[in-house]
Amino acid sequence: MGGAGIAASADEPWIGRFEGTGRACSGVLSMEATVLSWRWQYGDCRARHYEVLDATREQGAPRLVARLPRPRGARCPYEVIELERADTYAWNVTGFPSLEAYEKRGVPAWRDSPLPSRYVLSCLMTKVR
């Protein structure tokens, strides 16, 4: 990853509070310049510092890929969290169980696998502040 070690600043578009809806995605993601927390129906990634793997603006759409340190615990199964703006207020937020799962997200045999170590949670969330 070419962006490892990039620092996020407080004025970046992904900094804020995001709310999800629906059964699996009901919850809140809070992003600060150095700390991330994500609570949802079936999990809880308590506030922790993150490492920025990638921070880009592809075709005007901001995108952040953050890596959480280990240990995460059973309630926080995701090592990599990706935020990508879908429109003005909506963001796609995806949790990957490992860096390998994130890197192979486009490989059909990996993406479509039923193995729990490859399970990805993808939520459409609304930025509320």
Side-chain angles (χ1 to χ4, degrees), residues 9-69:
S9 66
D11 63 343
E12 295 295 351
W14 47 77
I15 301 300
R17 178 182 168 100
F18 303 80
E19 294 181 357
T21 60
R23 184 176 177 157
C25 295
S26 179
V28 174
L29 172 78
S30 177
M31 290 290 299
E32 297 174 22
T34 61
V35 176
L36 171 157
S37 69
W38 188 12
R39 295 182 323 274
W40 67 99
Q41 181 72 20
Y42 303 106
D44 186 357
C45 293
R46 298 195 183 263
R48 65 191 68 222
H49 290 278
Y50 61 89
E51 170 190 3
V52 176
L53 298 179
D54 190 16
T56 58
R57 294 173 192 266
E58 294 183 21
Q59 299 170 351
R63 179 174 164 270
L64 175 77
V65 180
R67 185 174 187 187
L68 299 176

Side-chain angles (χ1 to χ4, degrees), residues 17-19 85-91 124-128:
R17 178 182 168 100
F18 303 80
E19 294 181 357
R85 182 181 281 164
D87 65 29
T88 304
Y89 300 103
W91 289 70
L124 187 63
M125 302 185 88
T126 302
K127 187 172 183 180
V128 294

Side-chain angles (χ1 to χ4, degrees), residues 64-84:
L64 175 77
V65 180
R67 185 174 187 187
L68 299 176
R70 292 191 183 262
R72 292 178 311 280
R75 297 276 302 152
C76 182
Y78 304 114
E79 180 179 356
V80 176
I81 311 284
E82 177 183 42
L83 288 89
E84 185 173 29

Side-chain angles (χ1 to χ4, degrees), residues 20 97 110:
W110 183 276

